[in-house]
Amino acid sequence: MNYNGIIFVVGTPIGNLSDLSPRAAETLEKVDFIAAEDTRVTLKLLNHLGIKKPMISYFEHNKLQRGEEICRRILEGESCAIVTDAGMPCISDPGEELIKQCAEYGIKTEVVPGPSAVISALCVSGLSTGRFTFEGFLSVNKKSRKEHLDALKDEQRTMIFYEAPHKLPNTLKDLYEHFGERRLTICRELTKLHEEIIRTTTKEAFENYSEGTLKGEIVLVLEGAEKGTEKKFTLGEAVALAEKFMTEGKKTSDAAKQAASVTGFKKNDIYKELMQ
């Protein structure tokens, strides 16, 4: 095969090194250089394969400058493989920008598919796989985060999110507050030694995992909204949710309003019960 003047998008293991395909290993061995998100991480993979190859770092804060350099080298006839620390490059990853730059220059692109945390989590979630939407990481900016979640409130497709373990408690709280009680699968450390698939609900997850006990890489798979869904909550559950918001510092009126937005009950009905 002629490797000249091509960029290869190469999927790498998300945990278990045995998941690397023979074609991926061959590609990494034959390209002229590798563009890696973190060269230290990729070096471990190359050492495992017994491959020595020049690398160039390509990550969020140098992607524009390095992208031009990588494109120039490929246009001059070199071949490049872009890899991320784990999984498929370009998915919630700065490699997306490099492929856009290559497309603008008319550089030939080939994909060497490999493991993907998104698809792996969806497959084992036990939720609908026919239609789904990948939502990546939720913003840490409160306004952007709220706008993102509000836009998904009536989404009927299964939703997939990435999350860091130290941010998980807040995310579980937000999912319960915005979506009410729905089925939720928490996928932890996929393909690794301590892999865990937790099939639960947003309510149970909020109650059981808000102390930061879950560690490792997390993928959340959330059930979509049902078409024409009627209320799933009882008034007692709506009041209990408002009481939980009050323990977190919200005023009675604000707690009733927030519980109403989650459960579908009227704010005044919840407020009345709270005051009794």
Side-chain angles (χ1 to χ4, degrees), residues 212-229:
T213 55
L214 294 180
K215 305 299 182 183
E217 299 298 322
I218 303 287
V219 185
L220 301 170
V221 188
L222 177 66
E223 179 182 31
E226 293 181 16
K227 192 173 183 179
T229 299

PDB file of all heavy atoms in Angstrom, residues 212-229:
ATOM      1  N   GLY A 212     -19.249  10.965  45.514  1.00  0.00           N
ATOM      2  CA  GLY A 212     -17.980  10.850  44.803  1.00  0.00           C
ATOM      3  C   GLY A 212     -17.292   9.512  44.979  1.00  0.00           C
ATOM      4  O   GLY A 212     -16.066   9.426  44.907  1.00  0.00           O
ATOM      5  N   THR A 213     -18.089   8.451  45.200  1.00  0.00           N
ATOM      6  CA  THR A 213     -17.498   7.123  45.440  1.00  0.00           C
ATOM      7  C   THR A 213     -17.064   6.424  44.152  1.00  0.00           C
ATOM      8  O   THR A 213     -16.246   5.508  44.194  1.00  0.00           O
ATOM      9  CB  THR A 213     -18.500   6.220  46.180  1.00  0.00           C
ATOM     10  OG1 THR A 213     -19.732   6.177  45.437  1.00  0.00           O
ATOM     11  CG2 THR A 213     -18.780   6.744  47.574  1.00  0.00           C
ATOM     12  N   LEU A 214     -17.625   6.825  43.014  1.00  0.00           N
ATOM     13  CA  LEU A 214     -17.270   6.173  41.751  1.00  0.00           C
ATOM     14  C   LEU A 214     -16.030   6.834  41.154  1.00  0.00           C
ATOM     15  O   LEU A 214     -15.999   8.047  40.950  1.00  0.00           O
ATOM     16  CB  LEU A 214     -18.433   6.256  40.759  1.00  0.00           C
ATOM     17  CG  LEU A 214     -19.690   5.475  41.131  1.00  0.00           C
ATOM     18  CD1 LEU A 214     -20.764   5.644  40.057  1.00  0.00           C
ATOM     19  CD2 LEU A 214     -19.381   3.996  41.327  1.00  0.00           C
ATOM     20  N   LYS A 215     -15.028   6.036  40.854  1.00  0.00           N
ATOM     21  CA  LYS A 215     -13.766   6.547  40.312  1.00  0.00           C
ATOM     22  C   LYS A 215     -13.563   6.027  38.885  1.00  0.00           C
ATOM     23  O   LYS A 215     -14.231   5.111  38.437  1.00  0.00           O
ATOM     24  CB  LYS A 215     -12.598   6.105  41.185  1.00  0.00           C
ATOM     25  CG  LYS A 215     -12.736   6.486  42.666  1.00  0.00           C
ATOM     26  CD  LYS A 215     -12.819   7.982  42.869  1.00  0.00           C
ATOM     27  CE  LYS A 215     -12.907   8.316  44.356  1.00  0.00           C
ATOM     28  NZ  LYS A 215     -13.061   9.780  44.576  1.00  0.00           N
ATOM     29  N   GLY A 216     -12.601   6.615  38.202  1.00  0.00           N
ATOM     30  CA  GLY A 216     -12.254   6.158  36.863  1.00  0.00           C
ATOM     31  C   GLY A 216     -13.006   6.894  35.770  1.00  0.00           C
ATOM     32  O   GLY A 216     -13.773   7.821  36.014  1.00  0.00           O
ATOM     33  N   GLU A 217     -12.773   6.477  34.538  1.00  0.00           N
ATOM     34  CA  GLU A 217     -13.415   7.105  33.381  1.00  0.00           C
ATOM     35  C   GLU A 217     -14.890   6.701  33.345  1.00  0.00           C
ATOM     36  O   GLU A 217     -15.231   5.528  33.475  1.00  0.00           O
ATOM     37  CB  GLU A 217     -12.721   6.664  32.094  1.00  0.00           C
ATOM     38  CG  GLU A 217     -11.251   7.056  32.016  1.00  0.00           C
ATOM     39  CD  GLU A 217     -11.051   8.564  32.037  1.00  0.00           C
ATOM     40  OE1 GLU A 217     -11.881   9.273  31.427  1.00  0.00           O
ATOM     41  OE2 GLU A 217     -10.087   9.034  32.660  1.00  0.00           O
ATOM     42  N   ILE A 218     -15.757   7.691  33.139  1.00  0.00           N
ATOM     43  CA  ILE A 218     -17.204   7.471  33.227  1.00  0.00           C
ATOM     44  C   ILE A 218     -17.896   7.819  31.909  1.00  0.00           C
ATOM     45  O   ILE A 218     -17.622   8.855  31.299  1.00  0.00           O
ATOM     46  CB  ILE A 218     -17.830   8.344  34.339  1.00  0.00           C
ATOM     47  CG1 ILE A 218     -17.170   8.066  35.690  1.00  0.00           C
ATOM     48  CG2 ILE A 218     -19.341   8.147  34.406  1.00  0.00           C
ATOM     49  CD1 ILE A 218     -17.521   6.772  36.337  1.00  0.00           C
ATOM     50  N   VAL A 219     -18.810   6.936  31.483  1.00  0.00           N
ATOM     51  CA  VAL A 219     -19.733   7.242  30.381  1.00  0.00           C
ATOM     52  C   VAL A 219     -21.141   7.051  30.913  1.00  0.00           C
ATOM     53  O   VAL A 219     -21.454   6.024  31.534  1.00  0.00           O
ATOM     54  CB  VAL A 219     -19.510   6.326  29.162  1.00  0.00           C
ATOM     55  CG1 VAL A 219     -20.417   6.768  28.008  1.00  0.00           C
ATOM     56  CG2 VAL A 219     -18.053   6.345  28.718  1.00  0.00           C
ATOM     57  N   LEU A 220     -22.001   8.035  30.695  1.00  0.00           N
ATOM     58  CA  LEU A 220     -23.388   7.989  31.151  1.00  0.00           C
ATOM     59  C   LEU A 220     -24.305   7.799  29.953  1.00  0.00           C
ATOM     60  O   LEU A 220     -24.196   8.524  28.956  1.00  0.00           O
ATOM     61  CB  LEU A 220     -23.757   9.284  31.875  1.00  0.00           C
ATOM     62  CG  LEU A 220     -22.909   9.631  33.105  1.00  0.00           C
ATOM     63  CD1 LEU A 220     -23.221  11.054  33.574  1.00  0.00           C
ATOM     64  CD2 LEU A 220     -23.156   8.637  34.226  1.00  0.00           C
ATOM     65  N   VAL A 221     -25.216   6.839  30.042  1.00  0.00           N
ATOM     66  CA  VAL A 221     -26.182   6.584  28.974  1.00  0.00           C
ATOM     67  C   VAL A 221     -27.576   6.800  29.565  1.00  0.00           C
ATOM     68  O   VAL A 221     -27.998   6.071  30.467  1.00  0.00           O
ATOM     69  CB  VAL A 221     -26.040   5.159  28.405  1.00  0.00           C
ATOM     70  CG1 VAL A 221     -26.923   4.999  27.177  1.00  0.00           C
ATOM     71  CG2 VAL A 221     -24.585   4.859  28.048  1.00  0.00           C
ATOM     72  N   LEU A 222     -28.267   7.801  29.062  1.00  0.00           N
ATOM     73  CA  LEU A 222     -29.542   8.236  29.629  1.00  0.00           C
ATOM     74  C   LEU A 222     -30.707   7.910  28.700  1.00  0.00           C
ATOM     75  O   LEU A 222     -30.653   8.174  27.495  1.00  0.00           O
ATOM     76  CB  LEU A 222     -29.501   9.750  29.890  1.00  0.00           C
ATOM     77  CG  LEU A 222     -30.780  10.402  30.431  1.00  0.00           C
ATOM     78  CD1 LEU A 222     -31.089   9.901  31.838  1.00  0.00           C
ATOM     79  CD2 LEU A 222     -30.636  11.927  30.416  1.00  0.00           C
ATOM     80  N   GLU A 223     -31.761   7.383  29.270  1.00  0.00           N
ATOM     81  CA  GLU A 223     -32.971   7.074  28.512  1.00  0.00           C
ATOM     82  C   GLU A 223     -33.596   8.346  27.948  1.00  0.00           C
ATOM     83  O   GLU A 223     -33.657   9.375  28.623  1.00  0.00           O
ATOM     84  CB  GLU A 223     -33.971   6.387  29.439  1.00  0.00           C
ATOM     85  CG  GLU A 223     -35.295   6.020  28.797  1.00  0.00           C
ATOM     86  CD  GLU A 223     -36.260   5.381  29.785  1.00  0.00           C
ATOM     87  OE1 GLU A 223     -36.200   5.730  30.988  1.00  0.00           O
ATOM     88  OE2 GLU A 223     -37.056   4.542  29.356  1.00  0.00           O
ATOM     89  N   GLY A 224     -34.061   8.285  26.702  1.00  0.00           N
ATOM     90  CA  GLY A 224     -34.721   9.426  26.091  1.00  0.00           C
ATOM     91  C   GLY A 224     -36.144   9.586  26.606  1.00  0.00           C
ATOM     92  O   GLY A 224     -36.697   8.702  27.267  1.00  0.00           O
ATOM     93  N   ALA A 225     -36.731  10.731  26.293  1.00  0.00           N
ATOM     94  CA  ALA A 225     -38.114  10.999  26.708  1.00  0.00           C
ATOM     95  C   ALA A 225     -39.080  10.128  25.910  1.00  0.00           C
ATOM     96  O   ALA A 225     -38.851   9.853  24.727  1.00  0.00           O
ATOM     97  CB  ALA A 225     -38.440  12.469  26.497  1.00  0.00           C
ATOM     98  N   GLU A 226     -40.136   9.700  26.555  1.00  0.00           N
ATOM     99  CA  GLU A 226     -41.168   8.950  25.861  1.00  0.00           C
ATOM    100  C   GLU A 226     -42.099   9.920  25.144  1.00  0.00           C
ATOM    101  O   GLU A 226     -42.399  10.997  25.642  1.00  0.00           O
ATOM    102  CB  GLU A 226     -41.974   8.105  26.852  1.00  0.00           C
ATOM    103  CG  GLU A 226     -41.181   6.989  27.497  1.00  0.00           C
ATOM    104  CD  GLU A 226     -42.028   6.168  28.445  1.00  0.00           C
ATOM    105  OE1 GLU A 226     -43.275   6.277  28.363  1.00  0.00           O
ATOM    106  OE2 GLU A 226     -41.460   5.431  29.263  1.00  0.00           O
ATOM    107  N   LYS A 227     -42.566   9.522  23.978  1.00  0.00           N
ATOM    108  CA  LYS A 227     -43.472  10.369  23.218  1.00  0.00           C
ATOM    109  C   LYS A 227     -44.800  10.465  23.947  1.00  0.00           C
ATOM    110  O   LYS A 227     -45.393   9.470  24.321  1.00  0.00           O
ATOM    111  CB  LYS A 227     -43.687   9.786  21.818  1.00  0.00           C
ATOM    112  CG  LYS A 227     -44.388  10.735  20.870  1.00  0.00           C
ATOM    113  CD  LYS A 227     -44.426  10.171  19.464  1.00  0.00           C
ATOM    114  CE  LYS A 227     -45.070  11.171  18.507  1.00  0.00           C
ATOM    115  NZ  LYS A 227     -45.103  10.642  17.127  1.00  0.00           N
ATOM    116  N   GLY A 228     -45.251  11.690  24.173  1.00  0.00           N
ATOM    117  CA  GLY A 228     -46.529  11.888  24.851  1.00  0.00           C
ATOM    118  C   GLY A 228     -46.521  11.389  26.276  1.00  0.00           C
ATOM    119  O   GLY A 228     -47.538  10.927  26.789  1.00  0.00           O
ATOM    120  N   THR A 229     -45.359  11.471  26.929  1.00  0.00           N
ATOM    121  CA  THR A 229     -45.255  10.958  28.292  1.00  0.00           C
ATOM    122  C   THR A 229     -46.143  11.736  29.260  1.00  0.00           C
ATOM    123  O   THR A 229     -46.154  12.964  29.269  1.00  0.00           O
ATOM    124  CB  THR A 229     -43.796  11.071  28.782  1.00  0.00           C
ATOM    125  OG1 THR A 229     -42.984  10.300  27.921  1.00  0.00           O
ATOM    126  CG2 THR A 229     -43.661  10.542  30.192  1.00  0.00           C
TER     127      THR A 229
END
